[in-house]
Amino acid sequence: MSAADAIVAEFRAFGAGLRRDKFCARSALDIVDRCETNGVGILGIEGFYLTDTTTTPQLDHILDLSTGVKAYDTARQFLRHGEGLPLFYEFTFQD
C-alpha cells in the first residue's frame, strides 16, 4: 500500500460517497497536513456537492497542483476558500 493509500484509508471512516473517498473540509485539511508530514505530493483537489443520490462536481472548486505537488499551503488556502460551503473534497496524489 502506498503512503497516499494509507492516508486515505486512515480517513476513510470520515469519508463520504460510494468509495468513502470524499472528505469534508476539516478532514481534507487534516489530510493535507498528513501528506506534508509524510512527504506525499498532492496533484489536485476537486470539490463536490453530495446528496443521498447524486455527486455533483463543482468546476469552480478544482485545484491543479501538478506543477507544484508539494504546495501544501496552496492546498490549505484552497480548502479554506470553500469554508462555509457544503463541499466534499477528493484528492489526486502523486504516485
Side-chain angles (χ1 to χ4, degrees):
M1 178 182 298
S2 73
D5 290 338
I7 291 169
V8 171
E10 180 180 342
F11 285 90
R12 190 156 272 140
F14 306 106
L18 209 53
R19 296 181 313 176
R20 302 190 63 81
D21 61 348
K22 292 171 181 57
F23 302 94
C24 70
R26 178 69 255 157
S27 293
L29 285 165
D30 290 341
I31 289 170
V32 172
D33 291 343
R34 190 63 48 90
C35 287
E36 184 173 28
T37 299
N38 293 309
V40 174
I42 301 169
L43 292 173
I45 304 173
E46 293 184 60
F48 296 86
Y49 287 129
L50 301 179
T51 70
D52 290 339
T53 58
T54 62
T55 301
T56 308
Q58 296 304 298
L59 298 179
D60 55 340
H61 289 281
I62 296 174
L63 178 65
D64 178 5
L65 293 171
S66 60
T67 59
V69 295
K70 304 236 173 160
Y72 305 111
D73 288 333
T74 302
R76 287 184 193 96
Q77 289 172 357
F78 169 76
L79 294 169
R80 287 189 186 109
H81 175 72
E83 282 183 340
L85 299 173
L87 289 166
F88 286 82
Y89 298 94
E90 181 178 273
F91 290 81
T92 303
F93 300 102
Q94 182 181 25
D95 289 333

